[in-house]
Amino acid sequence: YSILRLKPANSVEKDGTGFNSLLDEIVGKTSLIMSLVSEEFPEEVPPRAEEITIPADVTPERVPTHIVDYSGKNHAIQLELANVICIVYAVNNKNSIDKVTSRWIPLINERTDKDSRLPLILVGNKSDLVEYSSMETILPIMNQYTEIETCVECSAKNLKNISELFYYAQKAVLHPTGPLYCPEEKEMKPACIKALTRIFRISDQDNDGTLNDAELNFFQRICFNTPLAPQALEDVKNVVRKNVSDGVADNGLTLKGFLFLHTLFIQRGRHETTWTVLRRFGYDDDLELTPEYLFPLLKIPPDCTTELNHHAYLFLQSIFDKHDLDRDCALSTDELKDLFKVFPYMPWGPDVNNTVCTNERGWITYQGFLSQWTLTTYLDVQRCLEYLGYLGYSILAEQESQASAITVTRDKKIDLQKKQTQRNVFRCNVVGMKGCGKSGVLQALLGRNLMRQRQIRAEHKSYYAINTVYVYGQEKYLLLHDVSDSDFLTDAETICDVVCLVYDVSNPKSFEYCVRIFKQHFMDSRIPCLVVAAKSDLHEVRQEYSISPAEFCKKHKMPPPQAFTCNTVDMPSKDIFVKLTTMAMYPKKALRSNSKFLTAAQESEVRWVKMINSLGFDICSYLRYLLTLSHTVNCKLCMCVKRLRPHIDELGAMLLADEESSIMHQVHAVSFVEDSIFMESSLGPRLLEDRHVTQADLKSSTFWLRASFGATVFAFLGFAMYKALIKQR
């Protein structure tokens, strides 16, 4: 809301409270206001015009303007309410011109802050009474006082330049010269150069150091809503070529040429052009990015998370490609610094390299780049909005704001009710006592073995790790968070989609900590938990707890402990990360599968499967199926087989005696493999390798059982047909 205040140049101060018009000489400021309103010169002029407001729709800048005429006796001056001050003098009165510098400008500057002085407009009225101009006298004054925006000569009687006067007054408020240009130095101010340099870097979409015709047209369209004609583009470049030697390169506008053009606009009084560009890119009058631009409104209901949508990932992909100059799918240190030149500070520290995937040289890869943005969006969406603002997302993507790049997921309770989720990012809190191997688990998600982990400096350690995991062919992000190893977790440390309880197999006191944290925070929750036996390459010792980790998991209907080690030659196994992500995606199914145990019939089948695998094509397999067939087929041969049942069972028991205990300890694992969500992952290499019947074993056994059954059926059919033919004969 622009407030315009007109001050008489021939009034004097009284008691230091305001301006009182002694009216020794009339300068015509009230006549100017009345001529603007009525569009004709008033025959009778009151001592002071009433305060008026010009509507926005009748002004060139579409801004309402409030005009206050200070001329009455004892009228208090409220400079803090003004946005611009017009000092009126009479061009035919030298005394009124002298008082501009001797009285009014010093007085105004005295009452205003030096760092935010009000713009001044010098108005020379009564130009109809003289045939000469006062500009020669006024120009030295304008050069002396930088707060003077412009000078206008006008005539209230002839209506000369009346509209232009108030247009320039509005322009001085909306498009001030002060923040942009230094008249003494005749060049743009550093803050303006910095802002325009950022705008140039954003607009240079191929990062070749110049703005080609396509980029210039895009820039013109987003700032001024109209493209430039080819001839106009060539004319602009010709002007730059004539004045700046390296302003044009490869038929494109360089940064130096771009800055020259804006300097030229300002010098020619067209600083509204520069301000239009600056405001389109989010800058305020102080050349700072506005909070409204950096932090657009985004409502996030409780129990909802934030993710980047498809358009945001496409934008970030273009940013990565723009700065990956050597096309090695990784950003070097210099390339990353170049990317963040449009930021006022370096947003990523050295810990980021230990949070996301990097190549063998420690450079952030394309996947790591997207992962870090995904992490920022999930943990601190406001910071993500700020970062996207610095990159110019809303301008380049032609969106209203950065908020259009964010997807707010639905309430987690709805996902549980519908038994499906639309989320792509899942958080796993990694819990365990100090030294149990939590950091190893985090770094293993990034594909780093123990040798690479030892190269990480302590001050660059990260408590987060994020990477993509494929579950049933779907790409999801798994975010691991190494929570504190204190005896109690905070509420924030218990908020997650799945919990990874890590204990050290070589430390007898390690598992007890996991048990304590589980019982305190997760035993009664609906958050699925997975126990990981870390450092499984070391000698396993008995844990100092009443029951073993396997028995504890069985008791609390959890999956059996998963053996894990990052002391490998190649990348560590990612099986546990697939399991964790799957449990986070389907928490109800995971909990239901964990509580499923084998029936007596299933236990018997496990024993028979083992026996048949041991015997191969031996007679016991055939006898077993003859016995099964005898329940439905009534013949003498079947009756004979029934009599052999005790001997068959005894033989099977003898063959399975050595394997009975290990099978029965983990009988629920067969059902877990068949029905649970962990179909695609293998079991641990050491801790549990002999305690599970794998899915491959079951499939192989099923094949031979069916083959044996088929052979038996054909044998019976052949024998029956033989008997029938004998009887006929």
Side-chain angles (χ1 to χ4, degrees):
Y1 196 88
S2 176
I3 302 177
L4 173 65
R5 302 194 180 278
L6 301 181
K7 289 194 169 41
N10 62 339
S11 60
V12 296
E13 181 183 15
K14 181 179 179 180
D15 299 331
T17 58
F19 291 119
N20 291 332
S21 178
L22 299 182
L23 299 180
D24 294 332
E25 296 166 321
I26 304 298
V27 295
K29 57 182 177 41
T30 305
S31 300
L32 287 173
I33 299 174
M34 299 186 70
S35 296
L36 174 71
V37 175
S38 62
E39 296 185 352
E40 62 179 5
F41 182 71
E43 295 297 334
E44 295 183 3
V45 180
R48 173 177 172 267
E50 296 293 331
E51 296 185 10
I52 63 170
T53 299
I54 303 175
D57 55 355
V58 299
T59 60
E61 297 292 339
R62 300 292 177 182
V63 176
T65 304
H66 189 63
I67 303 176
V68 180
D69 177 13
Y70 285 102
S71 64
K73 187 177 181 180
N74 296 327
H75 190 82
I77 300 175
Q78 296 175 313
L79 293 179
E80 66 276 5
L81 298 179
N83 299 114
V84 60
I85 299 174
C86 293
I87 302 177
V88 183
Y89 66 91
V91 295
N92 62 341
N93 189 314
K94 190 177 183 304
N95 184 45
S96 65
I97 297 176
D98 293 339
K99 285 193 175 181
V100 170
T101 55
S102 64
R103 172 63 66 178
W104 306 125
I105 292 180
L107 182 61
I108 292 170
N109 290 341
E110 182 182 315
R111 295 193 176 188
T112 56
D113 187 3
K114 292 182 179 180
D115 297 329
S116 58
R117 286 182 173 175
L118 296 174
L120 305 178
I121 305 294
L122 297 185
V123 181
N125 194 19
K126 301 186 178 182
S127 62
D128 59 296
L129 299 180
V130 296
E131 295 181 356
Y132 56 86
S133 174
S134 62
M135 286 301 174
E136 292 184 3
T137 308
I138 295 299
L139 282 176
I141 300 176
M142 294 180 64
N143 293 332
Q144 182 181 356
Y145 297 95
T146 58
E147 58 267 34
I148 299 176
E149 291 286 329
T150 189
C151 177
V152 183
E153 289 189 347
C154 59
S155 170
K157 185 174 183 179
N158 295 341
L159 305 182
K160 177 185 175 182
N161 290 341
I162 301 298
S163 298
E164 286 77 2
L165 159 64
F166 292 97
Y167 166 73
Y168 284 120
Q170 281 188 333
K171 187 176 175 181
V173 177
L174 301 176
H175 312 300
T177 308
L180 305 181
Y181 189 74
C182 180
E184 294 84 358
E185 302 290 338
K186 298 189 183 303
E187 61 183 23
M188 287 190 295
K189 292 185 175 180
C192 182
I193 294 175
K194 181 180 178 182
L196 290 174
T197 300
R198 170 182 169 268
I199 292 171
F200 178 88
R201 294 185 183 279
I202 291 174
S203 303
D204 182 14
Q205 298 183 44
D206 56 8
N207 201 29
D208 64 349
T210 63
L211 299 182
N212 56 39
D213 288 357
E215 291 167 341
L216 282 171
N217 261 313
F218 179 80
F219 173 82
Q220 177 76 10
R221 181 168 58 82
I222 62 173
C223 291
F224 305 101
N225 202 28
T226 179
L228 280 174
Q231 186 57 46
L233 273 175
E234 199 59 36
D235 291 343
V236 168
K237 286 186 278 190
N238 287 334
V239 171
V240 176
R241 286 191 186 99
K242 291 178 181 178
N243 292 274
V244 183
S245 58
D246 52 352
V248 177
D250 299 327
N251 203 34
L253 194 65
T254 65
L255 174 60
K256 196 170 182 180
F258 184 75
L259 295 176
F260 166 77
L261 275 180
H262 283 281
T263 303
L264 194 63
F265 290 147
I266 297 170
Q267 289 175 342
R268 293 184 177 181
R270 292 178 54 192
H271 30 293
E272 67 272 13
T273 302
T274 301
W275 274 115
T276 300
V277 171
L278 290 168
R279 293 200 171 104
R280 180 64 181 90
F281 281 78
Y283 288 93
D284 60 12
D285 291 349
D286 297 322
L287 298 183
E288 298 288 344
L289 291 172
T290 64
E292 293 77 16
Y293 171 79
L294 291 177
F295 307 103
L297 181 64
L298 182 66
K299 294 182 180 179
I300 305 173
D303 295 327
C304 297
T305 59
T306 49
E307 301 176 2
L308 293 170
N309 58 32
H310 177 65
H311 298 290
Y313 281 118
L314 288 178
F315 172 76
L316 293 172
Q317 179 183 348
S318 68
I319 294 296
F320 184 92
D321 293 339
K322 172 181 175 179
H323 294 277
D324 183 18
L325 300 179
D326 52 8
R327 297 294 183 263
D328 61 348
C329 292
L331 294 178
S332 66
T333 304
D334 292 337
E335 289 172 341
L336 202 61
K337 287 181 179 178
D338 184 59
L339 189 153
F340 290 129
K341 281 183 178 179
V342 295
F343 285 60
Y345 55 87
M346 185 67 178
W348 293 357
D351 60 312
V352 173
N353 294 59
N354 300 317
T355 305
V356 298
C357 292
T358 58
N359 62 10
E360 63 279 358
R361 304 179 70 176
W363 298 349
I364 296 176
T365 62
Y366 169 73
Q367 185 57 54
F369 181 77
L370 296 184
S371 297
Q372 179 61 26
W373 279 96
T374 303
L375 172 72
T376 306
T377 307
Y378 187 92
L379 297 179
D380 191 351
V381 68
Q382 291 299 318
R383 181 164 295 183
C384 177
L385 292 173
E386 178 187 0
Y387 291 174
L388 289 174
Y390 292 140
L391 290 174
Y393 173 82
S394 61
I395 291 101
L396 297 179
E398 299 185 72
Q399 299 291 331
E400 184 177 350
S401 71
Q402 298 88 269
S404 62
I406 307 299
T407 295
V408 179
T409 64
R410 66 187 181 189
D411 195 322
K412 191 176 180 181
K413 299 184 184 68
I414 300 177
D415 287 345
L416 293 174
Q417 292 172 0
K418 294 184 177 292
K419 299 181 181 179
Q420 61 180 356
T421 181
Q422 298 174 339
R423 293 191 293 156
N424 295 308
V425 185
F426 299 93
R427 177 170 179 165
C428 171
N429 284 357
V430 183
V431 179
M433 68 183 300
K434 187 176 182 180
C436 69
K438 292 183 295 180
S439 298
V441 173
L442 266 67
Q443 293 302 309
L445 177 63
L446 308 179
R448 297 169 184 167
N449 58 19
L450 187 61
M451 184 177 297
R452 288 192 63 184
Q453 293 177 27
R454 287 172 176 168
Q455 299 173 2
I456 300 175
R457 299 169 61 178
E459 61 269 24
H460 297 166
K461 178 182 177 181
S462 174
Y463 291 92
Y464 291 94
I466 184 171
N467 200 2
T468 53
V469 177
Y470 285 89
V471 178
Y472 300 135
Q474 301 180 58
E475 184 184 63
K476 303 294 181 181
Y477 281 95
L478 178 63
L479 167 59
L480 299 182
H481 178 207
D482 181 357
V483 301
S484 63
D485 51 9
S486 60
D487 292 336
F488 297 95
L489 302 183
T490 64
D491 292 339
E493 291 173 334
T494 61
I495 299 174
C496 58
D497 301 303
V498 63
V499 177
C500 181
L501 299 168
V502 182
Y503 76 95
D504 181 358
V505 299
S506 63
N507 185 351
K509 299 181 180 180
S510 181
F511 183 68
E512 189 273 336
Y513 176 84
C514 294
V515 173
R516 187 167 68 252
I517 295 297
F518 174 79
K519 290 183 176 181
Q520 287 175 354
H521 301 284
F522 303 110
M523 187 168 66
D524 298 326
S525 71
R526 299 183 62 84
I527 302 175
C529 299
L530 182 69
V531 176
V532 173
K535 304 182 183 181
S536 60
D537 58 302
L538 302 179
H539 175 68
E540 182 179 359
V541 299
R542 180 180 178 83
Q543 296 294 317
E544 295 180 359
Y545 191 66
S546 57
I547 58 177
S548 67
E551 292 171 338
F552 176 84
C553 292
K554 182 178 179 180
K555 177 181 177 181
H556 292 279
K557 302 177 181 180
M558 297 165 58
Q562 307 295 304
F564 175 80
T565 179
C566 54
N567 190 11
T568 57
V569 177
D570 299 323
M571 293 189 301
S573 172
K574 292 192 175 182
D575 293 338
I576 64 168
F577 306 122
V578 176
K579 294 179 182 181
L580 288 168
T581 308
T582 313
M583 292 173 73
M585 290 176 63
Y586 308 105
K588 276 194 172 182
K589 189 174 182 180
L591 294 170
R592 184 171 66 251
S593 299
N594 296 342
S595 61
K596 190 173 183 180
F597 293 90
L598 295 181
T599 63
Q602 290 170 323
E603 293 175 0
S604 176
E605 184 173 348
V606 171
R607 288 197 296 271
W608 280 106
V609 167
K610 280 289 187 179
M611 182 192 74
I612 292 169
N613 281 341
S614 301
L615 294 177
F617 287 100
D618 213 295
I619 187 63
C620 281
S621 60
Y622 289 99
L623 292 176
R624 164 75 168 86
Y625 282 97
L626 289 174
L627 178 62
T628 305
L629 193 63
S630 68
H631 291 291
T632 56
V633 180
N634 188 11
C635 66
K636 291 183 178 180
L637 181 59
C638 294
M639 296 303 293
C640 293
V641 174
K642 282 185 179 181
R643 294 191 186 99
L644 294 174
R645 179 169 185 169
H647 303 286
I648 297 172
D649 288 335
E650 182 179 358
L651 177 61
M654 291 173 60
L655 292 169
L656 297 173
D658 294 336
E659 302 181 21
E660 179 70 17
S661 58
S662 65
I663 293 176
M664 293 308 297
H665 276 305
Q666 301 293 337
V667 288
H668 70 287
V670 178
S671 176
F672 194 81
V673 171
E674 289 179 321
D675 302 322
S676 77
I677 54 182
F678 304 138
M679 296 176 61
E680 299 179 2
S681 57
S682 63
L683 298 168
R686 172 189 171 102
L687 188 65
L688 306 170
E689 61 184 356
D690 296 326
R691 300 184 183 179
H692 293 73
V693 180
T694 64
Q695 200 171 31
D697 293 336
L698 291 177
K699 288 182 178 179
S700 177
S701 302
T702 302
F703 170 77
W704 292 116
L705 288 175
R706 290 176 178 175
S708 301
F709 179 75
T712 305
V713 171
F714 279 111
F716 271 102
L717 290 175
F719 181 74
M721 292 175 65
Y722 173 77
K723 293 289 289 183
L725 291 174
I726 292 296
K727 284 184 179 181
Q728 288 178 0
R729 290 182 179 181

